[in-house]
Amino acid sequence: MSRCDFKIVLLGSEHVGKTSLVLRFVNCRFNSGTPYQNTIGAAFCAKRMQSNGKDFNVGIWDTAGSERYEAMTRMYYRGAHAAIICYEASSQASWTRLRHWLQELRTVEEDCKVYLCCTKKDLLDSGAAQREVDEEIVATYSQGLRGHFLTSSKTGENVDELFQKIVDDCVADMRVMKGVEEARVQLQKEDAAYRAKHKDYCFC
Amino acid sequence: MASTSKNIPSTANPENVTDDIEPGACTDSILNPTDSFEEFASEMSSSLEERNTLAAKSSTISEIQSEIGESSKETLRETKSSDNLQSKDDSISGSASSSNLTEQNGEDTECERDEYLRSPELVNKEKHVFILSSAGKPIYSRYGNEDKLAGLCGVIQALVSVVEEQNQDILRSISTKDCKAIFLVKGPLILVAVSKSNESETQLVLQLTYAFNQIVSVLTLTQLNRIFEQRRNYDLRRLLSGAERLIDHLLIFMEKDPAFLLGAVRCLPLPEKARENITNAITSTCSKIRDLVFAILIAGNQLITLVRMKKYTLHPSDIHLLFNLVRSSESFKTAESWTPICLPKFDATGFLHGHVSYISEDCQACLLLLTVQRDAFFPLSQAKHTIAEKLRRSNCLVAINDALNRNKELPTTNPLKHIGIPEIRHFMYKCKSTAQLFTSDPISLDRLQDYRLRHKEGGDITEKKIEKLSDIDYVRNYRKFCSQIHCSSTPAKLIFRSNSENTVLAWVTNGFELYVTFDALMEKDHAIRAVDRLLHWIKKEEERIFIMHAPTF
Ligand SMILES: Nc1nc2c(ncn2[C@@H]2O[C@H](COP(=O)(O)OP(=O)(O)O)[C@@H](O)[C@H]2O)c(=O)[nH]1
Ligand SMILES: [Mg+2]
């Protein structure tokens, strides 16, 4: 029943800024005033995007990152076309955790395109946070992956670029696009069947 | 027991004035009307062994799954996840987990610890709540930093275990002149309330039980027990992360909202037709979704409608946990959420999966669709959009907003004015057969918010002259009447107390519980006549005030 062409999942420890990243991308907002609230379970958002002159519906799963829900997390990255794994440069622990997600993805969803995202760039730029994670190690790690982005949800820097790159990569991938086409055809069939069955009931 | 000489438990019944009406009564109820006070009774009569092995009863969730032809793969996967937990502990132990913090604090000197107990963060609070593991590890403290309370938790743990081991008895409470400490041992956890409030022991035990249920709600009882079976010393905070906030909010909520005091649920008053349309929108959309157990629409801690799978009802305390979850989570407002939720009364052993989302940007009603099927997000998401569209087209969103914004035209917005009995200052009414509640001054959300903010700043006891009493103050005042009415040894049926400040009448029948505050020095006859008119008004408005149907899918 999913009406989304691409499925993207956000992974990473609690508090690294996953929810803020989605909020910035989907609603162009950043909540700096409100105190931190952890995500309950997982949250789903959809957004329309363009690539190569065509429209696509992108579904984004924002996960909680807490140990409590870990057993459930697989469900969110099953079938994901892309994963954004977030970490904070000022937190070695969040980087350590990132490697765990990477391994999980490799075993469960090997075709998933993986992007690393270093969050809260504005804090690094202003000197409010100190880099703890070694840049060279990050560079080595991201070699085998689809990309590494340094973003700020506060200023919006690199946020659209990250998601645009993901969608462009998906669109350029023949195999993914074949699946998308098939899903669309299938959905049209279902819709037609549904409408035929409910002729007497008008939805508008 | 809080009995004062001014209270006159009366034998004279006002029934000679009031003919037998039970506003809101209904044979079929969406809520399970068992009294929370019964729970207290069973808690108090439980033996040591019973209490320490919180045996989980049979699983309602697996029952539903087998009925709709789902295999029990759910349970299998759960077992697996707990194994992960074990191995994860080892792999993470080197990273910056909170357990390191405790170790550091373990080096604190005795003197530093005592110092902390006297710090402004902790002294002069009306009510503390501490939760620790039976090994004495701190899990939660309402105020201050529980890490620094390792010493105190050690003492609590020692007290509890000395009474258990040496006397084969249960430590229930310790009282000093102005303060009481209430202890509750539940499975692997010890919960303690230290209170200077006028709440009775029963009421405090209930609050601790709620706090425990809140923890079960995020973990399930099965997982909670298993964790501590595997590792007695486990630092539960790692799994609770974020749930502390839920407990914080729950404690405030319980102090303010009489729904907890009475074990009842407040409904959003709506025109009968509007509620019917809302219910129909849900049933017509969801009737084909086989795994759906409950569809619940709520707004501002009030129930709008609840549609359920045949045979299953919800307990008010489970609904309170859902209210609390929605009320304390901003994140539901920005996206559709999909989260495991355990409802302890419904089934403490497993998770339901909830699709949680607000109906629309312009209507702050939140829809919860609870299923036994963990992959059901998309069909439920689809259902939600269809329901929202139907509600908009049938103008139900306007009706909900009117009620939420307390539109002056509605009789339920300011009932006292509408009833026209000037001597009544405040009342609260519970219909027993449906476990639903109505009060004269529904706690406005803003005020609750204010209270919350003030409370965040300290929760200190202040001696402030109150100019105009708010519903919160009236409810505080009802607490002792409520405990007399629910006293298990000598329950009162009718209490009438009149003094120079106000007059309170508390009355319980088979059908309802009613608490009314009148002007000072009211005559009893006069009060009873007023109550009679009040009951007739509630009866007249019952279709609007209460949910009088118990729809199923
Ligand atoms: N300055 C700054 N703060 C951020 C940024 N992203 C997130 N935060 C803050 O970091 C905290 C955690 O963010 P959140 O998105 O909730 O993290 P999550 O747990 O990974 O979803 C919040 O207090 C955010 O306000 C950012 O780009 N810049
Ligand atoms: Mg989050």
PDB file of all heavy atoms in Angstrom, chain B residues 253-271:
ATOM      1  N   PHE B 253       0.532  15.047  36.431  1.00  0.00           N
ATOM      2  CA  PHE B 253      -0.807  14.736  35.935  1.00  0.00           C
ATOM      3  C   PHE B 253      -1.667  14.113  37.053  1.00  0.00           C
ATOM      4  O   PHE B 253      -2.809  14.499  37.290  1.00  0.00           O
ATOM      5  CB  PHE B 253      -0.591  13.758  34.773  1.00  0.00           C
ATOM      6  CG  PHE B 253      -1.764  13.516  33.866  1.00  0.00           C
ATOM      7  CD1 PHE B 253      -2.923  14.249  33.939  1.00  0.00           C
ATOM      8  CD2 PHE B 253      -1.671  12.518  32.901  1.00  0.00           C
ATOM      9  CE1 PHE B 253      -3.979  14.006  33.081  1.00  0.00           C
ATOM     10  CE2 PHE B 253      -2.713  12.261  32.038  1.00  0.00           C
ATOM     11  CZ  PHE B 253      -3.873  13.003  32.138  1.00  0.00           C
ATOM     12  N   MET B 254      -1.072  13.196  37.792  1.00  0.00           N
ATOM     13  CA  MET B 254      -1.834  12.495  38.832  1.00  0.00           C
ATOM     14  C   MET B 254      -2.200  13.401  39.986  1.00  0.00           C
ATOM     15  O   MET B 254      -3.211  13.209  40.638  1.00  0.00           O
ATOM     16  CB  MET B 254      -1.019  11.319  39.373  1.00  0.00           C
ATOM     17  CG  MET B 254      -0.986  10.143  38.417  1.00  0.00           C
ATOM     18  SD  MET B 254      -0.318   8.673  39.189  1.00  0.00           S
ATOM     19  CE  MET B 254       1.401   9.053  39.218  1.00  0.00           C
ATOM     20  N   GLU B 255      -1.341  14.392  40.250  1.00  0.00           N
ATOM     21  CA  GLU B 255      -1.640  15.293  41.364  1.00  0.00           C
ATOM     22  C   GLU B 255      -2.766  16.237  41.001  1.00  0.00           C
ATOM     23  O   GLU B 255      -3.463  16.740  41.864  1.00  0.00           O
ATOM     24  CB  GLU B 255      -0.384  16.090  41.735  1.00  0.00           C
ATOM     25  CG  GLU B 255       0.563  15.255  42.560  1.00  0.00           C
ATOM     26  CD  GLU B 255       1.948  15.863  42.655  1.00  0.00           C
ATOM     27  OE1 GLU B 255       2.140  17.008  42.191  1.00  0.00           O
ATOM     28  OE2 GLU B 255       2.839  15.191  43.181  1.00  0.00           O
ATOM     29  N   LYS B 256      -2.928  16.486  39.712  1.00  0.00           N
ATOM     30  CA  LYS B 256      -3.858  17.513  39.278  1.00  0.00           C
ATOM     31  C   LYS B 256      -5.194  17.002  38.821  1.00  0.00           C
ATOM     32  O   LYS B 256      -6.207  17.666  38.957  1.00  0.00           O
ATOM     33  CB  LYS B 256      -3.252  18.271  38.080  1.00  0.00           C
ATOM     34  CG  LYS B 256      -1.953  18.941  38.378  1.00  0.00           C
ATOM     35  CD  LYS B 256      -2.060  19.726  39.638  1.00  0.00           C
ATOM     36  CE  LYS B 256      -0.876  19.408  40.512  1.00  0.00           C
ATOM     37  NZ  LYS B 256      -1.236  19.483  41.920  1.00  0.00           N
ATOM     38  N   ASP B 257      -5.190  15.862  38.171  1.00  0.00           N
ATOM     39  CA  ASP B 257      -6.402  15.463  37.476  1.00  0.00           C
ATOM     40  C   ASP B 257      -7.178  14.437  38.288  1.00  0.00           C
ATOM     41  O   ASP B 257      -6.665  13.381  38.617  1.00  0.00           O
ATOM     42  CB  ASP B 257      -6.026  14.883  36.103  1.00  0.00           C
ATOM     43  CG  ASP B 257      -7.239  14.767  35.193  1.00  0.00           C
ATOM     44  OD1 ASP B 257      -8.353  14.526  35.708  1.00  0.00           O
ATOM     45  OD2 ASP B 257      -7.065  14.915  33.980  1.00  0.00           O
ATOM     46  N   PRO B 258      -8.430  14.766  38.656  1.00  0.00           N
ATOM     47  CA  PRO B 258      -9.218  13.846  39.480  1.00  0.00           C
ATOM     48  C   PRO B 258      -9.482  12.510  38.776  1.00  0.00           C
ATOM     49  O   PRO B 258      -9.917  11.560  39.410  1.00  0.00           O
ATOM     50  CB  PRO B 258     -10.519  14.602  39.722  1.00  0.00           C
ATOM     51  CG  PRO B 258     -10.593  15.624  38.652  1.00  0.00           C
ATOM     52  CD  PRO B 258      -9.183  15.968  38.299  1.00  0.00           C
ATOM     53  N   ALA B 259      -9.215  12.442  37.484  1.00  0.00           N
ATOM     54  CA  ALA B 259      -9.411  11.184  36.768  1.00  0.00           C
ATOM     55  C   ALA B 259      -8.631  10.058  37.452  1.00  0.00           C
ATOM     56  O   ALA B 259      -9.087   8.922  37.516  1.00  0.00           O
ATOM     57  CB  ALA B 259      -8.965  11.333  35.320  1.00  0.00           C
ATOM     58  N   PHE B 260      -7.465  10.400  37.992  1.00  0.00           N
ATOM     59  CA  PHE B 260      -6.647   9.386  38.659  1.00  0.00           C
ATOM     60  C   PHE B 260      -7.227   9.046  40.023  1.00  0.00           C
ATOM     61  O   PHE B 260      -7.284   7.899  40.426  1.00  0.00           O
ATOM     62  CB  PHE B 260      -5.213   9.877  38.823  1.00  0.00           C
ATOM     63  CG  PHE B 260      -4.488   9.957  37.529  1.00  0.00           C
ATOM     64  CD1 PHE B 260      -4.522  11.113  36.772  1.00  0.00           C
ATOM     65  CD2 PHE B 260      -3.790   8.865  37.054  1.00  0.00           C
ATOM     66  CE1 PHE B 260      -3.858  11.176  35.562  1.00  0.00           C
ATOM     67  CE2 PHE B 260      -3.124   8.915  35.851  1.00  0.00           C
ATOM     68  CZ  PHE B 260      -3.154  10.076  35.097  1.00  0.00           C
ATOM     69  N   LEU B 261      -7.645  10.101  40.722  1.00  0.00           N
ATOM     70  CA  LEU B 261      -8.221   9.923  42.051  1.00  0.00           C
ATOM     71  C   LEU B 261      -9.410   8.971  41.980  1.00  0.00           C
ATOM     72  O   LEU B 261      -9.605   8.133  42.841  1.00  0.00           O
ATOM     73  CB  LEU B 261      -8.670  11.302  42.548  1.00  0.00           C
ATOM     74  CG  LEU B 261      -8.987  11.480  44.011  1.00  0.00           C
ATOM     75  CD1 LEU B 261      -7.763  11.163  44.843  1.00  0.00           C
ATOM     76  CD2 LEU B 261      -9.443  12.910  44.262  1.00  0.00           C
ATOM     77  N   LEU B 262     -10.212   9.094  40.923  1.00  0.00           N
ATOM     78  CA  LEU B 262     -11.445   8.326  40.832  1.00  0.00           C
ATOM     79  C   LEU B 262     -11.348   7.118  39.911  1.00  0.00           C
ATOM     80  O   LEU B 262     -12.311   6.388  39.755  1.00  0.00           O
ATOM     81  CB  LEU B 262     -12.580   9.243  40.346  1.00  0.00           C
ATOM     82  CG  LEU B 262     -12.929  10.401  41.284  1.00  0.00           C
ATOM     83  CD1 LEU B 262     -14.034  11.245  40.695  1.00  0.00           C
ATOM     84  CD2 LEU B 262     -13.335   9.889  42.658  1.00  0.00           C
ATOM     85  N   GLY B 263     -10.203   6.925  39.296  1.00  0.00           N
ATOM     86  CA  GLY B 263     -10.063   5.800  38.381  1.00  0.00           C
ATOM     87  C   GLY B 263     -11.071   5.889  37.240  1.00  0.00           C
ATOM     88  O   GLY B 263     -11.748   4.930  36.909  1.00  0.00           O
ATOM     89  N   ALA B 264     -11.161   7.074  36.663  1.00  0.00           N
ATOM     90  CA  ALA B 264     -12.148   7.280  35.609  1.00  0.00           C
ATOM     91  C   ALA B 264     -11.523   8.058  34.460  1.00  0.00           C
ATOM     92  O   ALA B 264     -10.436   8.584  34.587  1.00  0.00           O
ATOM     93  CB  ALA B 264     -13.343   8.051  36.153  1.00  0.00           C
ATOM     94  N   VAL B 265     -12.234   8.118  33.358  1.00  0.00           N
ATOM     95  CA  VAL B 265     -11.722   8.805  32.187  1.00  0.00           C
ATOM     96  C   VAL B 265     -12.641   9.962  31.845  1.00  0.00           C
ATOM     97  O   VAL B 265     -13.859   9.859  31.907  1.00  0.00           O
ATOM     98  CB  VAL B 265     -11.641   7.835  30.985  1.00  0.00           C
ATOM     99  CG1 VAL B 265     -11.359   8.580  29.699  1.00  0.00           C
ATOM    100  CG2 VAL B 265     -10.566   6.789  31.237  1.00  0.00           C
ATOM    101  N   ARG B 266     -12.026  11.084  31.522  1.00  0.00           N
ATOM    102  CA  ARG B 266     -12.765  12.264  31.142  1.00  0.00           C
ATOM    103  C   ARG B 266     -13.059  12.223  29.652  1.00  0.00           C
ATOM    104  O   ARG B 266     -12.200  11.861  28.858  1.00  0.00           O
ATOM    105  CB  ARG B 266     -11.839  13.429  31.404  1.00  0.00           C
ATOM    106  CG  ARG B 266     -12.411  14.678  31.817  1.00  0.00           C
ATOM    107  CD  ARG B 266     -11.257  15.642  31.812  1.00  0.00           C
ATOM    108  NE  ARG B 266     -10.686  15.816  33.128  1.00  0.00           N
ATOM    109  CZ  ARG B 266     -11.217  16.646  34.015  1.00  0.00           C
ATOM    110  NH1 ARG B 266     -12.311  17.304  33.741  1.00  0.00           N
ATOM    111  NH2 ARG B 266     -10.655  16.802  35.189  1.00  0.00           N
ATOM    112  N   CYS B 267     -14.278  12.596  29.274  1.00  0.00           N
ATOM    113  CA  CYS B 267     -14.596  12.607  27.848  1.00  0.00           C
ATOM    114  C   CYS B 267     -14.705  14.042  27.374  1.00  0.00           C
ATOM    115  O   CYS B 267     -15.093  14.920  28.135  1.00  0.00           O
ATOM    116  CB  CYS B 267     -15.935  11.928  27.592  1.00  0.00           C
ATOM    117  SG  CYS B 267     -15.956  10.266  28.229  1.00  0.00           S
ATOM    118  N   LEU B 268     -14.397  14.255  26.113  1.00  0.00           N
ATOM    119  CA  LEU B 268     -14.586  15.582  25.544  1.00  0.00           C
ATOM    120  C   LEU B 268     -16.079  15.737  25.257  1.00  0.00           C
ATOM    121  O   LEU B 268     -16.642  14.973  24.478  1.00  0.00           O
ATOM    122  CB  LEU B 268     -13.781  15.736  24.252  1.00  0.00           C
ATOM    123  CG  LEU B 268     -13.823  17.122  23.622  1.00  0.00           C
ATOM    124  CD1 LEU B 268     -12.974  18.103  24.430  1.00  0.00           C
ATOM    125  CD2 LEU B 268     -13.352  17.092  22.179  1.00  0.00           C
ATOM    126  N   PRO B 269     -16.742  16.717  25.895  1.00  0.00           N
ATOM    127  CA  PRO B 269     -18.181  16.880  25.648  1.00  0.00           C
ATOM    128  C   PRO B 269     -18.421  17.255  24.188  1.00  0.00           C
ATOM    129  O   PRO B 269     -17.791  18.163  23.670  1.00  0.00           O
ATOM    130  CB  PRO B 269     -18.575  18.041  26.564  1.00  0.00           C
ATOM    131  CG  PRO B 269     -17.469  18.161  27.559  1.00  0.00           C
ATOM    132  CD  PRO B 269     -16.239  17.695  26.861  1.00  0.00           C
ATOM    133  N   LEU B 270     -19.310  16.543  23.545  1.00  0.00           N
ATOM    134  CA  LEU B 270     -19.594  16.782  22.125  1.00  0.00           C
ATOM    135  C   LEU B 270     -21.075  16.539  21.866  1.00  0.00           C
ATOM    136  O   LEU B 270     -21.691  15.719  22.544  1.00  0.00           O
ATOM    137  CB  LEU B 270     -18.815  15.798  21.253  1.00  0.00           C
ATOM    138  CG  LEU B 270     -17.351  16.042  20.938  1.00  0.00           C
ATOM    139  CD1 LEU B 270     -16.820  14.900  20.102  1.00  0.00           C
ATOM    140  CD2 LEU B 270     -17.164  17.364  20.215  1.00  0.00           C
ATOM    141  N   PRO B 271     -21.640  17.230  20.869  1.00  0.00           N
ATOM    142  CA  PRO B 271     -23.026  16.912  20.491  1.00  0.00           C
ATOM    143  C   PRO B 271     -23.103  15.434  20.106  1.00  0.00           C
ATOM    144  O   PRO B 271     -22.186  14.907  19.472  1.00  0.00           O
ATOM    145  CB  PRO B 271     -23.274  17.794  19.267  1.00  0.00           C
ATOM    146  CG  PRO B 271     -22.259  18.884  19.353  1.00  0.00           C
ATOM    147  CD  PRO B 271     -21.084  18.322  20.070  1.00  0.00           C
TER     148      PRO B 271
END
